[in-house]
Amino acid sequence: DVKVTQSSRYLVKRTGEKVFLECVQDMDHENMFWYRQDPGLGLRLIYFSYDVKMKEKGDIPEGYSVSREKKERFSLILESASTNQTSMYLCASSLQGMYVTEGYTFGSGTRLTVV
Amino acid sequence: GNSVTQMEGPVTLSEEAFLTINCTYTATGYPSLFWYVQYPGEGLQLLLKATKADDKGSNKGFEATYRKETTSFHLEKGSVQVSDSAVYFCALGTGTASKLTFGTGTRLQVTL
């Protein structure tokens, strides 16, 4: 089975801190995604990457950046954390071209609280 | 563009009741359709899928049939259990982009 591992289940950070959320997948997937999930808003795509060093903005990229230096790792960076970035963050991956029939594999999520 | 509309929750049912969660979609091309489930405190897990019209996806007693004529993919289960309490997401993917489009999720609460 494909595994997508997010490094932390729970994080508490202070306003203004630089925050790194890490995601690693072990099945050689080309595509990786970062979503945030908020009550009543569903899943909103922040960034995605379809290859090493490639990235594309999603629907809500403001206040975030990403890094993909290796195929298996996709990092989400909050440059200066703010309280409105308190949320559940979900990482997902998929095979290039296979997302249509196979869907995504998700990590367990990181619940980030910014105080 | 692509979109997915799910019924608003929460849906509250007694154990052994019949479940239907409605999902309709708008898509260009011929989408694949998915249902994901999210248990409390967890990420999303793929529950079932259908990749062409009239296909029926099934898993763990849940079923959904890809209805092209009504652009729907409703999730059903004949007899729910307390352990089915979760949030259910309908999603679609097409060949025009690398991204799945998700509905906003429907929370199911099953009580004894």
Side-chain angles (χ1 to χ4, degrees):
Chain A
D1 281 353
V2 175
K3 284 194 177 169
V4 177
T5 303
Q6 294 184 232
S7 54
S8 304
R9 291 298 299 273
Y10 300 94
L11 275 180
V12 180
K13 296 293 181 180
R14 294 194 180 278
T15 301
E17 275 193 77
K18 190 169 186 175
V19 181
F20 294 85
L21 302 183
E22 305 288 344
C23 176
V24 176
Q25 50 93 5
D26 67 358
M27 286 298 288
D28 206 34
H29 281 182
E30 293 87 0
N31 297 336
M32 296 188 75
F33 307 84
W34 275 107
Y35 287 86
R36 65 177 281 178
Q37 182 182 14
D38 300 288
L41 298 176
L43 276 68
R44 293 182 291 169
L45 181 64
I46 305 171
Y47 269 97
F48 74 101
S49 169
Y50 48 88
D51 202 352
V52 175
K53 298 191 186 293
M54 305 301 286
K55 61 185 179 184
E56 196 165 317
K57 292 180 180 179
D59 301 318
I60 53 162
E62 297 78 19
Y64 303 94
S65 62
V66 290
S67 172
R68 189 150 181 217
E69 297 296 320
K70 294 185 178 182
K71 191 174 186 179
E72 67 270 19
R73 186 180 295 271
F74 191 36
S75 303
L76 180 68
I77 303 157
L78 285 66
E79 298 291 343
S80 177
S82 64
T83 55
N84 63 13
Q85 293 178 309
T86 292
S87 186
M88 171 74 113
Y89 289 87
L90 294 167
C91 176
S93 72
S94 71
L95 277 169
Q96 190 79 41
M98 294 301 290
Y99 68 96
V100 172
T101 56
E102 301 303 319
Y104 295 168
T105 301
F106 281 86
S108 297
T110 296
R111 185 164 293 283
L112 172 68
T113 302
V114 182
V115 297
Chain B
N2 296 339
S3 68
V4 175
T5 303
Q6 286 183 239
M7 61 189 291
E8 292 215 13
V11 174
T12 303
L13 294 173
S14 299
E15 202 171 43
E16 299 184 359
F18 184 86
L19 168 71
T20 301
I21 299 178
N22 290 340
C23 171
T24 57
Y25 67 88
T26 305
T28 54
Y30 300 96
S32 293
L33 301 170
F34 306 87
W35 277 102
Y36 283 84
V37 58
Q38 184 181 34
Y39 297 105
E42 300 291 327
L44 277 69
Q45 303 173 24
L46 181 63
L47 179 61
L48 54 83
K49 65 181 180 182
T51 58
K52 61 182 187 296
D54 299 325
D55 269 2
K56 179 185 283 189
S58 61
N59 186 24
K60 299 181 181 180
F62 291 89
E63 294 183 338
T65 301
Y66 186 157
R67 303 280 188 204
K68 188 179 176 185
E69 63 276 11
T70 54
T71 61
S72 65
F73 192 55
H74 304 323
L75 182 68
E76 297 181 336
K77 187 176 186 184
S79 176
V80 294
Q81 306 299 312
V82 171
S83 56
D84 294 326
S85 297
V87 181
Y88 293 82
F89 291 90
C90 185
L92 71 82
T94 68
T96 58
S98 296
K99 298 173 283 183
L100 294 183
T101 301
F102 288 87
T104 53
T106 302
R107 181 175 298 278
L108 170 66
Q109 178 100 26
V110 181
T111 59
L112 289 171

